[in-house]
Amino acid sequence: MPVNSRLPGFYKLSPGERLSAVAQASGLREADLSSLVSPDPDMLGIADRMVENVVGTLSIPVGIAANFTIDGRDYLIPMATEEPSVVAAASNMASVARLHGGFHTSTDLPIMVSQVQVVGVADPRAARLRLYEAEAELLALANEQDPLLVKLGGGARGIEVRIVEAAGATYVVLHLQVDVRDAMGANAVNTMAEALAPRVAAIAGGRVRLRILTNKADRRLARVRAVFDRDALGGADVVTGIVDAYRFAAADPYRAATHNKGIMNGITAVVLATGNDTRAVEAGAHCHAAAGGRYTSLSHYEIDGQGHLVGTLEVPMAVGLVGGATKTHPAARAAVRLLGVQSAQDLAKAVVAVGLAQNVGALRALAAEGIQKGHMSLHARNVAAAAGAVGNEIEAVVERLKTDGHVRLDKAEAILAELRATGS
Ligand code: NAD
């Protein structure tokens, strides 16, 4: 049956009623969709308040990355991810870094920037300077919008005015820099940008179009460095192999995309577990990777005087402890409690530490035995389950898949059929 996507009044229904409506419109049975329904009715209500047109929730595994020492303190780090081997790799590499004191971090102040785009300005260069002359007035106006943030020690800190030459047009673009304290800050800075718009338009002598934050959060960088023990990594050749892998990523955008994806395996998992905006962090990270004009590796690797691997990573980190889902989602609140972080900057430090550990984990596997051995042996459980194995069958199928060396669905199905036929 063809799907009918016209659902008038859908948004007014309860989640349960919406599920029935979706089943009807799609021609599926409600039972086919029942896995979308949260077993926890409270969670369904929370989800219904978080986003629109809710019919259910999706559970993603949360694993705990162990062994992390960050700036001299131990952390248990929750990671929400659907990908096998990510949590294991982060934990393994944290234990290797631990031998040399763990991870050392630093962050910028939590400065987010919103942009105000002015079009149709007759004298863009003079307008730019007029806006700088009005900086104090504009900052005061911005701060009036968020007295709570100002009371907490945050608020608008400065402006920058850029002239952007676009196709067939010149824009005057005002950047408002705001210390958002423990918020991710998007709503906070967007509100300020909207409030400034009429004055900015009047001072610049043009019309304001967009008023929104930039996700290129390059005034809010988080940095991490760690020494990874040569012998625990597998010896001098593995260390050299990791540095070769890094140089490849630094030189080649095709490799850099995958290299950085490996970093984001760790970063996104912690960002998601704490209810933060994964897309905002990913946009910022990839934009930062291209900041020099060419997309390249976000991390860097060197070999120290003793032959150990030294890894460093610097990435924009727009994460918060207030606002967004961090406060509304009970699992996110539990994750933040487990982390024991008291500020957005401390959360950012834990996130980048996991990103670096994750990156070294992937590079070590690539430089040593190849990525598939570890990854596929962990992935084998998924494949066995996808083939229909249940209970004890899962381990039996996994063992055979690993012995045969082909972790594939067709192989798993054949093994399962054989096991069931022979009753073993
Ligand atoms: P928010 O507006 O819910 O909370 C921020 C406000 O909380 C501040 O303005 C402040 O008044 C108050 N506050 C209370 N205690 C605070 C503390 N200790 N530190 C700082 N502020 C404190 O949330 P937000 O962080 O401004 O916005 C985040 C949300 O915006 C996320 O859900 C994100 O997905 C969404 N968003 C993102 C984008 C984007 O990234 N492009 C665009 C729009 C919205």
Side-chain angles (χ1 to χ4, degrees):
M1 162 186 160
V3 171
N4 177 7
S5 68
R6 282 290 303 145
L7 299 169
F10 186 65
Y11 69 98
K12 294 182 196 157
L13 303 177
S14 71
E17 290 167 337
R18 286 189 201 120
L19 196 76
S20 303
V22 168
Q24 211 176 3
S26 63
L28 294 170
R29 293 170 306 146
E30 277 192 48
D32 295 329
L33 301 174
S34 61
S35 294
L36 290 169
V37 179
S38 170
D40 176 358
D42 289 347
M43 191 56 232
L44 202 55
I46 292 166
D48 197 28
R49 289 190 289 279
M50 286 173 69
V51 303
E52 309 73 40
N53 290 359
V54 164
V55 297
T57 57
L58 172 73
S59 288
I60 297 286
V62 176
I64 303 298
N67 306 321
F68 275 83
T69 296
I70 303 170
D71 300 325
R73 202 200 109 187
D74 272 22
Y75 287 80
L76 293 170
I77 305 186
M79 301 177 70
T81 182
E82 86 300 342
E83 187 171 347
S85 81
V86 164
V87 181
S91 303
N92 280 342
M93 290 307 118
S95 71
V96 174
R98 200 179 174 86
L99 299 171
H100 295 269
F103 299 85
H104 304 276
T105 69
S106 57
T107 59
D108 292 339
L109 285 174
I111 301 283
M112 292 299 280
V113 173
S114 58
Q115 298 188 290
V116 180
Q117 176 201 22
V118 196
V119 303
V121 178
D123 55 350
R125 273 153 196 85
R128 176 172 174 268
L129 298 201
R130 287 197 297 276
L131 286 165
Y132 274 118
E133 289 156 29
E135 180 170 12
E137 176 200 343
L138 293 171
L139 295 184
L141 185 55
N143 282 331
E144 278 171 27
Q145 313 309 314
D146 203 334
L148 175 59
L149 186 60
V150 174
K151 198 169 144 215
L152 291 164
R157 290 283 180 263
I159 62 167
E160 183 185 356
V161 191
R162 298 167 55 233
I163 293 176
V164 174
E165 301 290 354
T170 298
Y171 304 128
V172 176
V173 179
L174 177 120
H175 282 198
L176 177 69
Q177 300 151 358
V178 184
D179 182 331
V180 296
R181 295 285 89 199
D182 295 318
M184 178 270 184
N187 291 324
V189 302
N190 290 348
T191 305
M192 290 182 177
E194 291 198 358
L196 293 193
R199 273 304 286 150
V200 171
I203 296 165
R207 179 173 170 199
V208 165
R209 291 278 192 192
L210 303 193
R211 297 141 293 163
I212 186 158
L213 87 157
T214 170
N215 287 113
K216 181 173 163 56
D218 54 6
R219 290 174 179 267
R220 197 178 187 178
L221 299 178
R223 305 172 199 86
V224 58
R225 68 180 170 86
V227 175
F228 297 86
D229 188 82
R230 176 195 58 201
D231 298 329
L233 283 172
D237 190 53
V238 174
V239 170
T240 312
I242 291 174
V243 172
D244 270 341
Y246 150 66
R247 288 184 182 145
F248 183 11
D252 177 20
Y254 285 92
R255 175 58 211 149
T258 318
H259 178 98
N260 291 341
K261 190 272 183 185
I263 295 172
M264 300 314 286
N265 276 342
I267 286 180
T268 301
V270 187
V271 171
L272 183 61
T274 56
N276 274 286
D277 185 333
T278 53
R279 291 82 55 213
V281 171
E282 286 175 356
H286 291 294
C287 192
H288 198 61
R294 186 176 61 79
Y295 188 85
T296 185
S297 167
L298 281 166
S299 58
H300 298 272
Y301 290 94
E302 300 159 316
I303 300 175
D304 73 8
Q306 287 73 50
H308 303 303
L309 181 74
V310 184
T312 53
L313 172 66
E314 184 177 73
V315 68
M317 196 46 63
V319 289
L321 298 178
V322 297
T326 307
K327 271 279 187 273
T328 50
H329 199 297
R333 285 205 304 272
V336 170
R337 260 201 305 277
L338 176 64
L339 268 166
V341 289
Q342 305 300 329
S343 70
Q345 284 166 289
D346 283 348
L347 173 57
K349 291 172 178 180
V351 174
V352 287
V354 175
L356 182 62
Q358 203 71 56
N359 190 212
V360 178
L363 297 182
R364 198 208 66 81
L366 284 167
E369 71 268 11
I371 200 84
Q372 288 306 75
K373 186 164 178 275
H375 185 79
M376 291 313 271
S377 68
L378 291 167
H379 183 53
R381 291 177 61 81
N382 281 346
V383 174
V390 288
N392 293 340
E393 289 173 342
I394 292 183
E395 280 315 315
V397 173
V398 166
E399 279 315 307
R400 281 278 306 277
L401 284 172
K402 287 205 252 178
T403 314
D404 295 356
H406 299 287
V407 182
R408 291 202 324 249
L409 185 61
D410 59 331
K411 291 279 179 200
E413 285 168 347
I415 293 167
L416 183 63
E418 196 187 306
L419 288 174
R420 286 181 177 169
T422 59
S424 51

